[in-house]
Amino acid sequence: MLRLQKVSKVFNKNTVNEKVIFDKFDFTIEEGEFVVIIGSNGSGKSTLMNLISGKIIADSGKILIDGIDVSSQLEHIRAKQVGRVFQDPLMGTASNMRIYENLAMARKKGKKFGLKWCISKKDIQEYREMVKSLGLGLENHLNTKVGLLSGGQRQALTLLMATMQKPKILLLDEHTSALDPKTAGIVLDHTEKIIKENNLTTLMITHNMNDAIKLGTRLVMLSGGKIIFDAKGEEKKNLTPEILLRKFSEVEHCI
Amino acid sequence: MEGILTMLGATSQGLIWGVMVVGLYITFRILDFADLTVDGSLALGGSVSAILIYNGVNPILSLIIATFAGILAGCITGILHIKFKIPGILAGILTMTALYSINIRIMGKANTPLLGKNTIFTVISEWFDGLGANSKMISEIVLGLIVCAVIIAIMYWFFGTEMGYAIRAVGNNKHMVCAMGINVGLMQIIALALSNGLVAFSGALVAQNQGYADINMGVGTLVCGLAAVIIGEAFVKQESNFAVKLIFAVIGSVIYRLIIALALQIGMNPSDLKLFTAIIVAIALGLPKIMKRKEKQQC
């Protein structure tokens, strides 16, 4: 479970460029929920993810994961409980290292990186099975350097790596928006499958209204650092892109 | 005959300096960090080893202590870069500059001669006494080969461990390493420490080999090392095994020394060597970029 309590974040504080992103923001995601977040540019979606992952530290307020306050933990400490897939397919994998080397690191995620040999023959067999489940034909290219893979392949691999050690929270930051529609579809299918199989608590940002309606168990619309719409269950199922766009324009008018 | 002797001499120099090249490979190629500390830490290793031997310490023990001095120097550059956010090049220059004074403090003066003292080379050349006049040269090459082989083996093991993987990934994609729950800064400091430890070890070998340590012995180390790394890389594929890459870095060091020996033999002024090396490195680093740009324009 993830809980944000009265979280505030201001960029460029005390300058003419001061920008309040969140002011005493409250938000809770229950265990096993798959929340899709939509919102226009500057609504605070990415900042929200950065606050949760620890890339940005909040000015005030608390962030709790399973009831434990992680607000002051550095990013790499928090990464032990948080899996993240970025928009840019280059961010999640080491391009000069081979596929199995990347997977070997993901397997050790959150553990001590000491002086034990990182990989064994037995592991490689397991990695082959894991990659096979992606259905991209990568299982015969475990020796390939990740830099030679396509964006979609890399993103699928990143997803696999982010979820190999079951994270308490999975953050998906527009992770298919840099891919062509067909590849995006394949990656989204994997996303759904992995989340369902592992019952992962997930937060996903998207700009695609259809995806937002189709995927997830809850839809949240963010604007100006506030939740302006929050739908679950039946209510979410009955949404259409038109309804969402109307809600958007209503709020933008008010501002 | 004289030609062969020159070549053997260059080979032994290449192997002894090859340890430094392996150290440089770690920062320059794996960590993607041009570390100028090495100019200071090479002389640091030489100074520490020379003053210890001068005061009667066992030459092998002096090598170990010199290595630790280098590790410390690398840590300082790492801390300046990571904790104080000083850009990498500048952090290296700061440590290098500080080491100039420190090295003079260590030796008490600008150089320390080792005339008549036992070094690791005099000890080993006794084993090859039967070979007559060339025993010194042969012992140098044998020792250089053994040392390089052992160090490459250790590095191959280390970069196959979890920590080694983490360091390789840091040079590649810091975001990914952070996402794996690894402290990126700590990995950079460890790599810098390891690299400078090897460089100081090499400096200690150089001092024992030439029979003195000198405050200026480290000048140009980074550029010489880069030249060796680049020459070695001309012979290996990108896909090659890591150990093969390190072996060719050392071979690059030997080839570099052979080129230098040749240049001197055909009458190049020794003081022009650094200019010569700098130009080679600049061309080798710049040429691929220029070629790439041309390719793009053609498209």
Side-chain angles (χ1 to χ4, degrees):
Chain A
M1 191 190 71
L2 172 74
R3 185 185 298 253
L4 277 76
Q5 284 178 338
K6 295 196 169 49
V7 169
S8 298
K9 183 70 202 175
V10 181
F11 286 130
N12 304 316
K13 210 167 193 171
N14 301 326
T15 70
V16 282
N17 295 318
E18 182 172 299
K19 188 161 179 10
V20 180
I21 306 289
F22 287 115
D23 184 26
K24 299 203 174 76
F25 182 73
D26 287 307
F27 186 45
T28 304
I29 303 177
E30 299 299 335
E31 179 110 35
E33 245 180 352
F34 178 177
V35 182
V36 181
I37 297 194
I38 53 175
S40 49
N41 293 326
S43 60
K45 306 182 302 287
S46 291
T47 307
L48 177 61
M49 289 230 168
N50 286 335
L51 284 168
I52 296 168
S53 72
K55 201 175 180 70
I56 297 176
I57 299 289
D59 296 338
S60 62
K62 274 185 184 170
I63 297 168
L64 303 134
I65 296 177
D66 277 358
I68 297 162
D69 186 0
V70 297
S71 330
S72 57
Q73 277 180 9
L74 293 172
E75 193 182 2
H76 73 271
I77 306 277
R78 243 187 268 185
K80 292 169 187 175
Q81 324 188 43
V82 179
R84 186 168 191 184
V85 184
F86 294 91
Q87 180 178 4
D88 181 354
L90 305 182
M91 295 268 269
T93 44
S95 57
N96 276 346
M97 294 171 78
R98 299 166 205 283
I99 293 179
Y100 73 79
E101 292 176 328
N102 272 277
L103 291 170
M105 288 189 70
R107 148 84 51 98
K108 302 267 152 58
K109 177 176 167 172
K111 295 180 185 149
K112 196 169 155 265
F113 275 69
L115 291 177
K116 275 204 298 275
W117 195 254
C118 199
I119 202 155
S120 72
K121 278 241 159 65
K122 197 181 104 234
D123 293 337
I124 292 199
Q125 197 50 44
E126 273 178 55
Y127 298 150
R128 183 162 290 137
E129 293 304 315
M130 285 178 199
V131 173
K132 205 171 182 177
S133 71
L134 294 176
L136 295 169
L138 291 177
E139 61 271 18
N140 298 320
H141 302 282
L142 284 182
N143 250 327
T144 306
K145 294 211 167 150
V146 170
L148 298 173
L149 303 182
S150 71
Q153 289 172 324
R154 276 184 87 154
Q155 208 61 325
L157 196 62
T158 307
L159 189 65
L160 188 63
M161 288 169 61
T163 53
M164 201 190 278
Q165 294 286 341
K166 192 179 163 184
K168 286 186 176 149
I169 310 284
L170 176 64
L171 303 176
L172 305 171
D173 192 349
E174 290 186 58
H175 70 306
T176 57
S177 65
L179 309 176
D180 66 73
K182 185 170 167 250
T183 319
I186 296 173
V187 172
L188 274 181
D189 287 345
H190 286 309
T191 308
E192 242 186 323
K193 196 175 117 200
I194 289 177
I195 291 171
K196 215 168 254 168
E197 274 171 10
N198 298 293
N199 192 29
L200 294 173
T201 308
T202 307
L203 191 61
M204 178 173 111
I205 294 178
T206 182
H207 276 302
N208 185 318
M209 296 298 153
N210 292 316
D211 289 345
I213 293 163
K214 198 181 87 193
L215 294 170
T217 59
R218 179 176 164 195
L219 184 142
V220 168
M221 193 186 277
L222 211 57
S223 180
K226 288 184 176 60
I227 293 172
I228 52 162
F229 182 65
D230 191 342
K232 295 185 207 186
E234 281 303 309
E235 192 187 0
K236 178 173 184 297
K237 272 183 202 153
N238 296 330
L239 289 171
T240 62
E242 290 72 34
I243 300 176
L244 289 179
L245 287 174
R246 203 161 57 234
K247 296 228 180 263
F248 261 125
S249 49
E250 275 170 26
V251 191
E252 305 291 316
H253 276 299
C254 296
I255 298 166
Chain B
M1 188 61 204
E2 202 183 314
I4 294 173
L5 274 183
T6 316
M7 278 179 61
L8 284 177
T11 306
S12 74
Q13 288 297 304
L15 291 170
I16 292 166
W17 286 86
V19 178
M20 175 276 284
V21 174
V22 172
L24 202 73
Y25 191 94
I26 294 171
T27 43
F28 188 66
R29 277 300 178 224
I30 299 179
L31 203 59
D32 195 18
F33 188 106
D35 179 26
L36 264 162
T37 317
V38 295
D39 279 32
S41 53
L42 190 109
L44 173 67
S47 307
V48 168
S49 177
I51 200 70
L52 288 173
I53 292 176
Y54 187 79
N55 287 306
V57 174
N58 179 303
I60 293 175
L61 182 62
S62 83
L63 282 175
I64 295 168
I65 296 173
T67 307
F68 276 102
I71 287 173
L72 200 64
C75 284
I76 288 169
T77 301
I79 289 167
L80 289 176
H81 178 52
I82 302 300
K83 300 288 177 208
F84 302 151
K85 312 276 179 221
I86 296 171
I89 295 261
L90 186 56
I93 291 174
L94 289 175
T95 314
M96 176 190 79
T97 307
L99 281 173
Y100 187 87
S101 301
I102 291 169
N103 290 341
I104 291 185
R105 280 268 174 198
I106 288 170
M107 295 193 288
K109 50 189 190 299
N111 55 59
T112 305
L114 295 173
L115 269 176
K117 299 279 177 190
N118 257 347
T119 69
I120 188 163
F121 291 95
T122 60
V123 172
I124 289 189
S125 70
E126 279 169 20
W127 301 352
F128 296 93
D129 255 355
L131 294 167
N134 291 337
S135 66
K136 183 169 179 288
M137 193 87 75
I138 290 165
S139 64
E140 281 172 8
I141 291 179
V142 170
L143 183 68
L145 279 174
I146 293 172
V147 166
C148 284
V150 169
I151 282 176
I152 288 173
I154 294 174
M155 289 304 119
Y156 182 73
W157 164 77
F158 177 73
F159 283 100
T161 65
E162 296 158 355
M163 193 186 278
Y165 268 51
I167 290 172
R168 286 164 59 201
V170 167
N172 213 204
N173 183 354
K174 293 190 180 70
H175 294 290
M176 179 264 199
V177 179
C178 189
M180 292 301 138
I182 300 166
N183 186 337
V184 174
L186 182 65
M187 291 304 134
Q188 284 173 296
I189 293 173
I190 291 171
L192 282 165
L194 183 65
S195 164
N196 281 288
L198 290 176
V199 173
F201 179 79
S202 181
L205 282 179
V206 169
Q208 294 193 25
N209 181 236
Q210 65 190 12
Y212 64 90
D214 180 86
I215 187 67
N216 289 321
M217 66 190 276
V219 174
T221 300
L222 176 69
V223 178
C224 295
L226 289 187
V229 168
I230 293 165
I231 293 169
E233 279 178 346
F235 301 99
V236 281
K237 279 195 230 118
Q238 184 122 53
E239 289 295 309
S240 295
N241 184 295
F242 180 60
V244 174
K245 287 183 175 170
L246 287 185
I247 289 168
F248 272 92
V250 173
I251 291 176
S253 170
V254 171
I255 295 174
Y256 171 73
R257 292 289 154 185
L258 287 171
I259 294 172
I260 296 291
L262 194 72
L264 288 174
Q265 204 140 53
I266 59 175
M268 183 183 262
N269 188 338
S271 63
D272 288 338
L273 279 179
K274 295 230 189 308
L275 172 65
F276 176 65
T277 309
I279 290 173
I280 290 181
V281 171
I283 292 174
L285 287 178
L287 207 58
K289 302 259 158 67
I290 293 170
M291 299 291 250
K292 226 179 223 169
R293 206 178 302 152
K294 266 199 179 147
E295 248 170 52
K296 265 187 194 157
Q297 275 170 354
Q298 275 165 1
C299 293

